[in-house]
Amino acid sequence: MNNHSFPRRAPGGPGIEPRWTHGAKVAVGTAYSTSSRVWYTLDAGCVSEVYYPTVDTPQIRDLQFLFTDGETFFHDEHRNFTSEIDCVSEAALGFEVTNQEYEGRYTVRKTILGDPYQNCLLIHTRVEAPPELLSRLKMYVLCAPHLEIGGWHNNGEILHIGDSKLLLAHKGNTWLAIGATVPFTEASCGYVGVNDGWTDLADNCRLDWQYEEALDGNIALTGGLDLSRCTEFTVGVAFGTTQHDALSTLGQSLNILFERTREAFINQWERTSKRFSLAPTANNAKLFERSVNLLLAHEDKTYSGAMIASLSIPWGDQKSDDELGGYHLVWTRDLVKSVTGLLAAGDTSTPLRSLIYLAVSQREDGGFYQNFWLDGRPYWTGVQLDEAAFPVLLTWRLWKDKALGNFLPFEMVRCACGFLIREGPVTAQDRWEEARGFSPSTLAVHIAGLICGAEFFDDRGEHATAEFIRDYADFLESHIESWTVTTQGTLVPGIRRHYIRVNPASSAACADEDPNCGTLVLANQPPGARNEFPAKEIVDAGFLELVRYGIRSANDPIIRDSLRVIDAVLKVETLNGPAWRRYNHDGYGQREDGSSYADWGRGRPWPLLTGERGHYEIAAGRDATTYLRALENFSQGIGLIPEQIWDGPDLPNHYLHFGGTTDAAMPLLWAHSEYVKLRRSAADGQVFDLVEAVYERYVQGIGERKTMEVWKSNRQVHTVPAGTLLRVQANSPFLLHWTNDDWQSSKDMRSQGTAIGIEFVDISVPQRQKNGIQFTFLWLDEDRWEGKDYKVNVREQEATAHKSVDHRRRKKAQRKRAATVG
């Protein structure tokens, strides 16, 4: 059939609305070499998204093979095959795939990997079929370009070079070229759902429409592979910034013997196992090594140190060009957790690159955007205090490991500490990115980060600022229970006192700091469903971070009571092991009927929370094997740990099975780092993330501490206990004009400066003080009076009902040590 007898341009554009593929992958890979800037994912034995030239830029929706005998059947790999998959070697992230047609009539064996030296994905393919079928079998490659992160506005064409044909697509500055080591017998470009190759072949098992180009739409490229010449061949998908670049890359990659490329690919990945000390001792070395290499694979090769949350778009089959992000963005929290997992495995070079990348990405105010593209452009612009604290923790760990090289991180630490103290203690978003308030998990990272940051100031001889930072951390720690522990719990009979998920405090009124009286508005709730709940009735396991970093003992009675509550409310026992939901009434997850999350759904259990519980058990001196095995059992495909698992009845039509994956993200790098760290923690008998300086200060009670209350513009505290210190903070120099006797007399105090740009005045409140403290400001930089008085009432100091037994033990130990020294 002569292609030139067909119209050159496909009609009927622009095609149906584009969609991405499922969020749950069975494999994620890339070449280890930085000269190959291509990443790829697999779904149901087929290539789904391919990313180029950076790890945040998906360029195709999927690529699969189609089959027909020309008369009686039409099959595609997604719908008509069973699939088996494994890595090409123990840990190398290239894949051996065996796809067998459902009735067993023929089999397709594929080796899928990235060329280590080119921007080209290679699919080495062998078709096995009985001779009588093979003589009639026609095979096609089908590719749906979504260039520059979008299905709209793609352009495709068939390029003729002599008697050969190649498939091309382009958009903007990105070009894609597809060829094979066997000729394309037929080729066509079409609009998806209108006249693309799949639609054409599904109609009558023949490629009737062979259009030369399809412009400005949601398109698909189709090429017929000549099985009469050879049943074993290689398909290449090459990328470039120009047509010339893509074609040159394709030709160079396809004209190297595939076995040589495969050998180089494996050799490069096998180097990683020599870098990590724990792998040979891990009970499940395969999953451990694959988890480590998955973490490595999510680092970009242009923006060194940048690491995305997942090569996945959760519920991508419901998402079009109006949502570009998916999880292929940088979250500072996820990045630090990922590289801390690599630290636990013995890698210090990748975490250092990531630290330097974060230092460059930090905003001038010391914070970080909620998430951002690799080049630093923000995607969502929310503020999460833990994301400012995590880089300080990472810096401290590398410093203690003497792994900072020539990098000087002090300026980053200085700015981060200033941001945390200026903006806190209320976080605009908790770690689930949905709620404002006092969050136990955020406070844990906040406190640990400040204690680590203070050590940098001491190291530079700036002891006054170091003391100021520790004082603020102590202030936060002394309020943890009063901010985040309800004393009126109703979720479990007999347990009145437990941590809540978040206390939605208001900066306008101190009374709102009471965790018993706030109202929490939940996101992602179904239309018309209740979305407001008493904050004291919404719980999560974030308080376990207080134990992880060393702020509370694992045996703290409030911690133990809170564990009983979350086990009763959030725990799900599956055949694969225990898992926990994020919080009660969570709406972020697969819907009850199995359909995708789309603005609302029902939250499902997260395996990473199983890892967090395992760390708690180690902190408590118990065995974590149950939790390690659960994470291993939850893994799918080549060993990918999902974001969420299904906890409803089996729904085979939606491929949902109790304890199995949902269509949320898979893999989730946070979960893999949790697994790697749990392996390390189990081997050490101690939580890897524990910060010794924090544990010594708050659990062992070592070090002098002030009893202090803090007033600042974003937390205008209304009362202070008698016998404590009132610290007034501001972000510029001031003179405090104040009185404690209703202005019968007054005092002026000039603020003290710090190296983090925060000024403060301390007012000692005598034990017998009853009158409130009133004050106003003279702003020295502007020579301007505030023009308003503020008042802080003084209350009698009372027993701190929220304080834990461990806190009282620490105070007792401090008194005992003081007496011994005396």
Side-chain angles (χ1 to χ4, degrees):
M1 187 177 288
N2 185 348
N3 281 357
H4 297 285
S5 65
F6 287 87
R8 175 168 178 80
R9 184 168 298 176
I16 64 173
E17 185 176 9
R19 291 286 186 269
W20 292 99
T21 57
H22 296 289
K25 308 302 178 185
V26 296
V28 168
T30 186
Y32 184 70
S33 168
T34 57
S35 58
S36 176
R37 293 182 297 152
V38 171
W39 294 257
Y40 39 90
T41 68
L42 272 65
D43 172 23
C46 304
V47 173
S48 46
E49 292 93 356
V50 179
Y51 294 72
Y52 158 88
T54 53
V55 73
D56 64 347
T57 313
Q59 302 285 7
I60 74 168
R61 179 190 188 274
D62 60 2
L63 182 146
Q64 64 168 315
F65 292 132
L66 310 177
F67 298 88
T68 178
D69 64 353
E71 295 179 359
T72 65
F73 69 79
F74 164 68
H75 296 155
D76 73 25
E77 285 190 289
H78 274 297
R79 295 171 175 82
N80 302 107
F81 289 76
T82 60
S83 180
E84 295 180 2
I85 186 169
D86 203 355
C87 294
V88 293
S89 70
E90 281 301 305
L93 298 181
F95 312 110
E96 302 283 5
V97 179
T98 301
N99 287 344
Q100 186 175 57
E101 188 264 334
Y102 275 148
E103 297 182 18
R105 288 177 285 184
Y106 59 101
T107 300
V108 183
R109 301 187 189 277
K110 302 186 289 189
T111 303
I112 302 171
L113 49 82
D115 187 325
Y117 307 110
Q118 302 287 348
N119 294 321
C120 187
L121 174 68
L122 297 172
I123 307 168
H124 187 73
T125 308
R126 186 169 77 250
V127 180
E128 299 173 355
E132 62 274 14
L133 176 58
L134 190 58
S135 64
R136 297 181 291 115
L137 193 62
K138 295 185 177 183
M139 180 178 181
Y140 300 84
V141 60
L142 176 75
C143 177
H146 276 38
L147 298 177
E148 301 191 349
I149 327 182
W152 292 128
H153 308 301
N154 284 266
N155 306 282
E157 65 178 285
I158 309 302
L159 179 66
H160 297 265
I161 303 178
D163 293 332
S164 300
K165 304 181 185 72
L166 295 175
L167 310 179
L168 294 180
H170 65 94
K171 183 165 96 176
N173 295 318
T174 304
W175 285 78
L176 173 154
I178 301 174
T181 54
V182 296
F184 285 139
T185 56
E186 306 168 275
S188 184
C189 302
Y191 295 106
V192 174
V194 180
N195 47 30
D196 65 285
W198 192 98
T199 303
D200 192 0
L201 289 164
D203 176 54
N204 64 354
C205 302
R206 296 175 185 275
L207 196 66
D208 295 317
W209 306 316
Q210 295 185 36
Y211 300 114
E212 293 283 300
E213 65 179 15
L215 303 180
D216 194 22
N218 178 20
I219 67 167
L221 310 174
T222 308
L225 295 152
D226 190 354
L227 296 181
S228 68
R229 294 199 181 190
C230 186
T231 58
E232 185 169 355
F233 51 87
T234 303
V235 173
V237 184
F239 296 89
T241 56
T242 64
Q243 176 178 311
H244 185 278
D245 185 11
L247 290 174
S248 177
T249 297
L250 179 66
Q252 293 181 44
S253 191
L254 285 178
N255 283 287
I256 300 296
L257 289 176
F258 181 78
E259 280 307 312
R260 286 178 54 189
T261 303
R262 182 180 185 275
E263 182 180 2
F265 179 92
I266 292 172
N267 287 341
Q268 288 181 0
W269 269 114
E270 286 183 343
R271 296 176 196 163
T272 62
S273 62
K274 301 173 184 176
R275 297 167 55 192
F276 307 120
S277 57
L278 186 60
T281 63
N283 293 333
N284 190 328
K286 180 183 288 188
L287 183 58
F288 180 87
E289 287 192 36
R290 289 186 181 178
S291 292
V292 168
N293 284 352
L294 282 164
L295 292 170
L296 292 171
H298 281 73
E299 180 187 4
D300 192 58
K301 300 176 184 181
T302 300
Y303 296 89
S304 294
M307 194 173 288
I308 61 171
S310 175
L311 280 160
S312 173
I313 303 172
W315 299 285
D317 57 338
Q318 297 295 314
K319 296 180 179 178
S320 184
D321 289 8
D322 55 354
E323 185 168 339
L324 301 179
Y327 278 10
H328 47 88
L329 294 157
V330 178
W331 273 263
T332 300
R333 171 180 47 254
D334 293 60
L335 187 155
V336 172
K337 285 184 175 291
S338 293
V339 297
T340 306
L342 292 174
L343 269 178
D347 177 14
T348 58
S349 57
T350 309
L352 177 57
R353 289 196 301 271
S354 293
L355 179 63
I356 295 169
Y357 171 79
L358 286 173
V360 173
S361 304
Q362 187 180 37
R363 300 188 320 220
E364 288 187 8
D365 65 359
F368 292 84
Y369 290 114
Q370 180 179 352
N371 55 20
F372 46 94
W373 299 102
L374 297 181
D375 62 6
R377 287 175 297 124
Y379 186 68
W380 292 334
T381 57
V383 174
Q384 300 169 16
L385 290 181
D386 62 345
E387 293 202 308
F390 271 120
V392 180
L393 283 173
L394 176 60
T395 307
W396 181 84
R397 293 190 193 284
L398 288 168
W399 181 42
K400 294 301 180 182
D401 285 346
K402 297 181 171 55
L404 285 172
N406 293 323
F407 178 57
L408 301 176
F410 178 74
E411 184 61 19
M412 188 199 77
V413 171
R414 185 190 71 80
C415 291
C417 289
F419 180 86
L420 289 167
I421 295 176
R422 286 196 313 274
E423 301 299 323
V426 168
T427 183
Q429 293 179 347
D430 66 348
R431 69 173 180 167
W432 303 130
E433 307 190 288
E434 298 169 352
R436 176 188 185 280
F438 295 109
S439 156
S441 60
T442 300
L443 286 168
V445 183
H446 194 162
I447 293 165
L450 290 174
I451 294 298
C452 290
E455 292 197 7
F456 285 92
F457 285 89
D458 271 335
D459 186 63
R460 290 170 58 92
E462 299 185 38
H463 303 299
T465 297
E467 181 182 4
F468 174 81
I469 293 171
R470 285 194 187 94
D471 286 346
Y472 190 83
D474 293 344
F475 153 70
L476 297 177
E477 184 273 339
S478 69
H479 285 71
I480 289 171
E481 284 80 8
S482 63
W483 283 336
T484 65
V485 171
T486 180
T487 57
Q488 300 173 10
T490 60
L491 297 173
V492 176
I495 302 180
R496 301 278 290 171
R497 184 184 61 170
H498 61 76
Y499 284 96
I500 62 176
R501 174 195 164 194
V502 64
N503 172 5
S506 167
S507 61
C510 184
D512 286 343
E513 291 184 355
D514 182 356
N516 291 311
C517 64
T519 297
L520 189 60
V521 178
L522 299 185
N524 310 316
Q525 301 302 302
R530 178 186 179 189
N531 67 349
E532 292 189 6
F533 294 85
K536 65 182 180 180
E537 295 179 2
I538 305 297
V539 294
D540 80 344
F543 63 88
L544 291 180
E545 300 293 86
L546 296 166
V547 177
R548 177 191 294 261
Y549 296 111
I551 299 162
R552 290 290 178 267
S553 164
N555 294 315
D556 184 298
I558 303 179
I559 295 285
R560 294 203 307 264
D561 282 349
S562 300
L563 282 172
R564 291 170 59 196
V565 172
I566 66 162
D567 283 353
V569 176
L570 304 178
K571 187 177 182 181
V572 176
E573 287 286 0
T574 76
L575 293 176
N576 290 328
W580 285 261
R581 301 183 185 95
R582 295 193 303 175
Y583 54 86
N584 44 331
H585 305 292
D586 184 8
Y588 182 64
Q590 212 88 15
R591 294 181 180 177
E592 294 281 11
D593 62 1
S595 58
S596 296
Y597 166 84
D599 297 324
W600 59 272
R602 174 170 176 169
R604 306 293 170 179
W606 289 51
L608 74 86
L609 298 176
T610 299
E612 290 189 351
R613 181 56 169 268
H615 277 101
Y616 168 78
E617 296 299 322
I618 289 173
R622 294 189 286 270
D623 183 59
T625 300
T626 296
Y627 308 96
L628 283 165
R629 287 179 177 167
L631 285 170
E632 291 158 6
N633 292 338
F634 290 140
S635 68
Q636 305 283 320
I638 65 158
L640 307 186
I641 302 176
E643 177 185 47
Q644 301 181 36
I645 60 171
W646 179 249
D647 60 344
D650 289 359
L651 296 175
N653 290 340
H654 289 276
Y655 306 100
L656 295 169
H657 301 277
F658 183 67
T661 185
T662 70
D663 200 29
M666 186 170 78
L668 185 67
L669 270 289
W670 183 351
H672 280 278
S673 70
E674 204 58 23
Y675 174 75
V676 171
K677 287 189 289 184
L678 188 56
R679 276 278 167 217
R680 173 65 184 270
S681 299
D684 293 348
Q686 176 177 303
V687 175
F688 179 77
D689 282 325
L690 182 73
V691 179
E692 292 84 355
V694 174
Y695 184 82
E696 290 170 357
R697 191 170 188 85
Y698 298 121
V699 176
Q700 294 182 333
I702 298 173
E704 293 300 317
R705 297 172 55 187
K706 300 180 178 71
T707 303
M708 187 174 73
E709 189 58 83
V710 171
W711 188 101
K712 51 183 183 160
S713 62
N714 65 345
R715 182 182 179 265
Q716 298 180 14
V717 64
H718 287 180
T719 64
V720 61
T724 60
L725 186 73
L726 174 64
R727 174 163 290 177
V728 180
Q729 292 179 189
N731 300 331
S732 61
F734 63 92
L735 182 140
L736 192 74
H737 182 64
W738 67 280
T739 179
N740 60 4
D741 59 8
D742 293 325
W743 297 113
Q744 294 181 37
S745 63
S746 64
K747 299 178 182 178
D748 291 332
M749 297 177 67
R750 195 195 186 287
S751 63
Q752 301 179 56
T754 66
I756 57 176
I758 296 175
E759 302 270 331
F760 71 98
V761 162
D762 285 344
I763 300 175
S764 295
V765 182
Q767 187 68 50
R768 298 191 179 187
Q769 173 82 24
K770 292 185 179 180
N771 288 336
I773 297 170
Q774 300 173 71
F775 55 89
T776 190
F777 298 89
L778 173 64
W779 300 107
L780 298 178
D781 286 349
E782 306 171 56
D783 193 24
R784 174 182 63 83
W785 283 99
E786 174 77 359
K788 179 181 179 180
D789 286 356
Y790 300 94
K791 183 174 183 179
V792 179
N793 295 315
V794 177
R795 67 177 185 273
E796 290 185 25
Q797 201 167 51
E798 54 191 34
T800 53
H802 293 319
K803 286 293 181 186
S804 67
V805 171
D806 283 284
H807 181 78
R808 294 194 293 272
R809 287 175 181 163
R810 290 198 299 275
K811 289 297 185 183
K812 184 177 180 181
Q814 286 176 322
R815 290 194 296 272
K816 185 176 180 180
R817 275 193 294 274
T820 302
V821 172

